[in-house]
Amino acid sequence: MNTLLSLGIAMAVGLLFTRIVKLVKLPNVTGYLVAGLLIGPSVLGLIDKDTVESFSIIVTVALGFIAFSIGGEFKIGTLKKLGKKVTVITFFQAVGAVAVVFAVLLIAGLCGALGEDYLPMVFTLSAIATATAPAATLLVVRQYKAHGPVTETLLPVVAMDDAIGLMIFAIFNAIAVAIASGETPTVTTMLLEPLLEIFLSLLIGFALGLIVALCTRVFKSRANRLCLCITATVVGVALADMWGLSSLLLCMMIGAVFSNLGFEVERVLEGTDRWTPPLFMLFFVISGADLDLSILPTVGILGALYIIARAFGKYFGAMAGSAVVKADPNVRKYLGITLLPQAGVAVGMAQIALSEFTALGESDIGRKIQAVVLCATLVYEIVGPVLTKISLKKAGEITGNT
């Protein structure tokens, strides 16, 4: 099928499903994933496998802009206001998710429940477990005008969470790739190389972000400043691909540096937010179309364990962090439940893992990881917002008849 026509179909069906999911009060991302699944080669076949693969550049660029958007939230002034309490809670819930998912999947693998090549999947999925979905959570908070200690803690935690998750993913996925390639794990392959990748990604991202920030003082119009951000992000993605670095960390740093040093940042970021929705929609539709339903029976146990273990890790990690900083009792009790939604960044991590394992000739591992994450995203995006609403209502932060 013609590539442009396929893109048009993907966008049209994606838009249609935003209306359908709105009827059942689900996030748009759920509709995009379902739309992609339906028109993809696994169901209706309106878009064939070769065409889906030809869209890889869209997926790659979209990941860069997702990371840039995350970085744009990291303003130094805002971080100072959040204080140590939020940082500690964020760290504990992220590490809690990693630890529980890693332990559960490792035990299942040792018991023979996950097949032979389970170790790379254990490392990669445990890192992906850190990611949350700020959009779904924010939607619930705004819709029901929630306010109180839990809400005030929740919003900065989900904003900071993905940054920690990206760093953990860079290390764990590098270890997983080394294991899958047959290399003997060493301190160099398991720690030094991943840390070097993180350092170089952040360094280059800092340099590009600084260039953009300085150029905003030369280019005055909103259109030119928007072009600057787009150019820097595209260049950042390209350099990461050329030099084997993390495009997510690199582009996140571009956004972070620009948001702190740029001129009239809010207006530029607002323009970026208006430009990216069609790109993000295509990203999720393509991700849904790329899901191979034929492998779902082989990842059933893996997917179920991932979903359950991540939920426990998030809940008890947030509870532990809240206890350490002596947070409000409602924060200890309900915060973890509100952290279940998972979408864009997790799907992006899965796409990167798929690409890297495919390059090694281990596409089966990548496909299983992708299938688990996409299925988990559908579950979390359906159940997560509902549980967030219930938790905030029980905490007394949603008032009225809702």
Side-chain angles (χ1 to χ4, degrees):
M1 181 182 288
N2 180 276
T3 302
L4 287 178
L5 179 58
S6 297
L7 281 176
I9 292 173
M11 295 184 74
V13 177
L15 281 171
L16 174 63
F17 268 77
T18 62
R19 301 300 89 192
I20 295 174
V21 296
K22 186 176 182 180
L23 296 176
V24 289
K25 298 181 179 179
L26 291 176
N28 284 344
V29 64
T30 305
Y32 297 151
L33 291 172
V34 173
L37 179 61
L38 287 178
I39 65 175
S42 290
V43 184
L44 297 178
L46 296 180
I47 299 178
D48 57 39
K49 186 176 180 179
D50 290 338
T51 304
V52 172
E53 291 177 353
S54 71
F55 292 156
S56 60
I57 189 171
I58 296 175
V59 172
T60 302
V61 173
L63 284 172
F65 281 99
I66 289 173
F68 178 86
S69 298
I70 293 171
E73 298 296 325
F74 282 84
K75 300 177 180 66
I76 293 176
T78 303
L79 292 177
K80 286 182 179 178
K81 290 180 183 178
L82 296 179
K84 294 181 180 178
K85 286 188 176 182
V86 171
T87 304
V88 171
I89 293 173
T90 304
F91 177 79
F92 268 81
Q93 60 84 31
V95 172
V98 173
V100 175
V101 172
F102 187 89
V104 169
L105 295 188
L106 181 61
I107 292 170
L110 292 172
C111 293
L114 305 182
E116 294 182 359
D117 298 323
Y118 65 88
L119 204 51
M121 293 188 290
V122 172
F123 275 97
T124 301
L125 286 172
S126 60
I128 293 175
T130 60
T132 53
T137 302
L138 187 61
L139 182 70
V140 174
V141 171
R142 287 179 175 174
Q143 182 176 351
Y144 298 104
K145 297 180 175 62
H147 59 89
V150 179
T151 304
E152 291 171 0
T153 307
L154 168 62
L155 294 179
V157 165
V158 295
M160 294 176 62
D161 182 59
D162 286 333
I164 294 176
L166 292 178
M167 294 184 187
I168 294 174
F169 177 77
I171 295 174
F172 274 44
N173 194 57
I175 295 171
V177 169
I179 294 171
S181 66
E183 295 180 14
T184 302
T186 63
V187 174
T188 300
T189 58
M190 293 184 66
L191 189 61
L192 295 182
E193 289 180 0
L195 289 177
L196 180 61
E197 177 185 325
I198 291 174
F199 174 75
L200 290 176
S201 299
L202 296 177
L203 179 64
I204 294 171
F206 179 87
L208 288 174
L210 184 61
I211 291 171
V212 173
L214 293 174
C215 286
T216 56
R217 303 177 187 280
V218 177
F219 296 95
K220 303 294 185 180
S221 73
R222 183 182 298 185
N224 282 339
R225 287 170 176 168
L226 175 59
C227 289
L228 275 173
C229 292
I230 294 173
T231 300
T233 304
V234 172
V235 170
V237 169
L239 293 178
D241 182 59
M242 289 170 56
W243 295 334
L245 303 177
S246 169
S247 62
L248 292 176
L249 286 177
L250 196 155
C251 292
M252 183 185 74
M253 180 57 81
I254 294 174
V257 174
F258 169 69
S259 68
N260 285 284
L261 301 178
F263 190 69
E264 294 186 351
V265 171
E266 295 299 331
R267 293 181 63 195
V268 180
L269 291 179
E270 182 184 344
T272 304
D273 290 340
R274 289 179 179 178
W275 179 83
T276 52
L279 182 63
F280 291 168
M281 178 178 69
L282 276 173
F283 168 74
F284 287 114
V285 173
I286 293 168
S287 296
D290 202 25
L291 177 60
D292 185 358
L293 291 181
S294 65
I295 68 170
L296 288 184
T298 66
V299 298
I301 295 176
L302 178 63
L305 289 176
Y306 172 81
I307 291 171
I308 296 170
R310 178 179 176 272
F312 273 90
K314 285 285 183 182
Y315 180 77
F316 288 107
M319 181 182 288
S322 301
V324 168
V325 299
K326 299 179 181 179
D328 185 280
N330 277 341
V331 174
R332 302 185 198 184
K333 190 173 182 181
Y334 297 112
L335 179 64
I337 301 174
T338 66
L339 296 173
L340 293 186
Q342 188 173 48
V345 175
V347 175
M349 290 176 178
Q351 292 287 358
I352 289 175
L354 172 60
S355 176
E356 293 190 0
F357 284 116
T358 300
L360 288 176
E362 298 287 350
S363 60
D364 286 348
I365 296 175
R367 288 287 175 191
K368 288 180 180 179
I369 291 171
Q370 182 198 44
V372 168
V373 173
L374 290 181
C375 290
T377 295
L378 289 174
V379 172
Y380 285 133
E381 288 297 282
I382 292 171
V383 176
V386 176
L387 292 179
T388 298
K389 174 189 171 183
I390 293 172
S391 297
L392 292 177
K393 191 170 180 63
K394 285 184 174 292
E397 301 188 11
I398 294 178
T399 57
N401 297 320
T402 55

